[in-house]
Amino acid sequence: MTAPRKPVRRRAIVVASVTPLASILGSGLLIIVPVLESTLGALSVVGVVAICAVAWLIGTVIRHNVIVVEKREAAGTLDTLTARLGTGADGVIVIAYVISVALYLRIMAQYLVGFVDSAGSALWEPVIACVAVALIVAIGAIRGFAGLNRLDRVSLIAVLILTTVLGGVLLLHDLTTASSGSLRLPPVPSLPPLSVLLILGGIVITVQGFETVRYLGNEYDAPTRVWASRLAQIVSASIYIGFVAVATPVMGIGTHAGADTTLLNITGRIAPWLALPLVLSAVLSQFSAAIADTAAADGNLRGLNKWFTGPRPYLISGAAAIALAATVPTLTIVAIASRAFAAYYALQAVIAMRTTTGVLRKTGFAFLALVMLGVTIFAQPAS
């Protein structure tokens, strides 16, 4: 007889969902509205629904691998080629994490500079980002991140509160203007459909984070992580879709204000009193996300090769992140990070295809692998 399955506790699911949810919202909530505005305008909701739908499908890949592949790895029954693909995926996600660190801290710097100087500065954003990377690397190499691992919970609470308040203010504004008959929708930019698809592929990073459950095996069992991944994706998709919907009527594109580059532009027009909380939330969430990804890159590098000992993983990943943050524009880093995560998802989809049964599931996973491969090769940044 087989032992009865332990019931999955609701509290454990909620707690386990904090890491993927914080990662998803930290990845994109601050940038998804401006990018969709410049790409789709009034059709931004369609874009965010499509992105969330693709993310859910990729989530099924990750959840399959948590349940099936991890069990085979533990039993020693995973075939050699699939195991090597898994090792390759671990290497790819290290690269993705390093790029993400540069991205998070450029976004943080963008909001800091935008708040202090509305005209922005081409100099201070990379400087602030590079200093922040150096600080995180120094902390990790000297003392580790003990005591800082709860930042994700604090930042998640701050982001949820701010999003609720700002979303409520935008909804009230939309309802007020609609009742007065002055509600307007922004124009739809005249971009070729293929360009729109490639730009949407270039913001895969905005919904990245659900895959973190693959690396929480020491803390939670597989069923808990699967449900936590689902919960995180459902909650984040609801927030993204709702927020983009209420933000669409106040987009600056097509008005004298011009297209928005950050949420600060929208906040400044509709609720200036929320500008400072928005910046503080951006600093907390992006710094926390950068710490989490630096720690993840460190752990994965140490697992890949014994050469990565002592401070080497921190110094190598930090140097790469500084090089990116110093030389590459923020929106370009968004597309590069999206390509890296798409490559990781493509490998995970191939692994899922090789370990599943049934023609439909194999075909579905193979199709997702091809889609993510296309994003890896062809995704382009928003202008």
Side-chain angles (χ1 to χ4, degrees):
M1 292 178 63
T2 58
R5 291 181 61 182
K6 294 171 62 177
V8 180
R9 294 180 301 161
R10 291 183 181 180
R11 185 178 184 280
I13 293 172
V14 173
V15 174
S17 69
V18 169
T19 297
L21 183 58
S23 183
I24 295 170
L25 296 180
S27 298
L29 197 58
L30 294 170
I31 60 174
I32 193 167
V33 170
V35 172
L36 288 175
E37 174 182 343
S38 64
T39 307
L40 288 169
L43 299 178
S44 292
V45 171
V46 177
V48 73
V49 168
I51 293 170
C52 290
V54 172
W56 179 265
L57 294 176
I58 299 299
T60 63
V61 169
I62 301 299
R63 291 186 280 273
H64 166 87
N65 292 348
V66 167
I67 294 294
V68 176
V69 177
E70 289 184 9
K71 184 181 295 185
R72 294 189 186 182
E73 287 175 337
T77 58
L78 193 65
D79 67 273
T80 303
L81 178 57
T82 304
R84 288 178 178 173
L85 286 171
T87 301
D90 289 340
V92 169
I93 203 169
V94 168
I95 298 172
Y97 282 145
V98 170
I99 299 170
S100 294
V101 170
L103 173 62
Y104 295 145
L105 297 176
R106 277 296 297 256
I107 293 173
M108 181 190 76
Q110 184 182 43
Y111 274 78
L112 279 171
V113 172
F115 180 72
V116 175
D117 177 14
S118 59
S121 171
L123 171 65
W124 284 109
E125 283 185 25
V127 169
I128 293 172
C130 290
V131 169
V133 173
L135 176 61
I136 289 174
V137 168
I139 293 173
I142 294 171
R143 63 178 293 276
F145 297 124
L148 297 179
N149 53 358
R150 292 184 179 272
L151 266 180
D152 59 349
R153 299 185 184 185
V154 177
S155 67
L156 177 59
I157 293 171
V159 168
L160 290 176
I161 292 174
L162 179 72
T163 304
T164 301
V165 174
L166 181 55
V169 170
L170 294 177
L171 176 60
L172 180 62
H173 177 274
D174 295 345
L175 293 175
T176 302
T177 53
S179 63
S180 65
S182 57
L183 182 72
R184 54 163 290 277
L185 291 176
V188 178
S190 55
L191 292 175
L194 180 59
S195 295
V196 171
L197 290 175
L198 295 179
I199 292 172
L200 291 181
I203 55 174
V204 165
I205 182 70
T206 59
V207 288
Q208 166 271 329
F210 52 86
E211 76 289 337
T212 54
V213 296
R214 284 280 279 130
Y215 304 97
L216 298 176
N218 291 333
E219 301 175 50
Y220 307 101
D221 60 23
T224 299
R225 286 181 287 141
V226 165
W227 280 105
S229 172
R230 289 179 180 138
L231 177 61
Q233 286 199 283
I234 291 170
V235 172
S236 61
S238 301
I239 292 173
Y240 273 136
I241 294 169
F243 193 75
V244 170
V246 297
T248 298
V250 297
M251 291 175 173
I253 188 171
T255 70
H256 68 278
D260 302 302
T261 55
T262 70
L263 282 180
L264 273 175
N265 303 131
I266 292 176
T267 304
R269 292 195 301 272
I270 307 301
W273 53 277
L274 280 175
L276 180 58
L278 175 60
V279 172
L280 294 177
S281 175
V283 170
L284 180 60
S285 64
Q286 301 309 291
F287 195 77
S288 170
I291 286 177
D293 280 9
T294 301
D298 170 74
N300 278 26
L301 280 173
R302 293 180 193 276
L304 285 174
N305 194 290
K306 293 181 179 179
W307 185 82
F308 294 106
T309 58
R312 285 177 181 171
Y314 289 115
L315 297 176
I316 292 171
S317 59
I322 287 175
L324 271 173
T327 60
V328 182
T330 302
L331 288 179
T332 303
I333 300 178
V334 170
I336 295 172
S338 295
R339 287 183 170 197
F341 275 104
Y344 171 77
Y345 295 146
L347 287 172
Q348 290 292 331
V350 172
I351 291 171
M353 179 191 67
R354 291 178 58 84
T355 54
T356 192
T357 56
V359 175
L360 286 179
R361 288 182 66 83
K362 282 185 176 291
T363 303
F365 289 147
F367 176 73
L368 287 173
L370 289 174
V371 170
M372 289 298 102
L373 179 61
V375 172
T376 303
I377 298 172
F378 299 112
Q380 64 185 43
S383 57

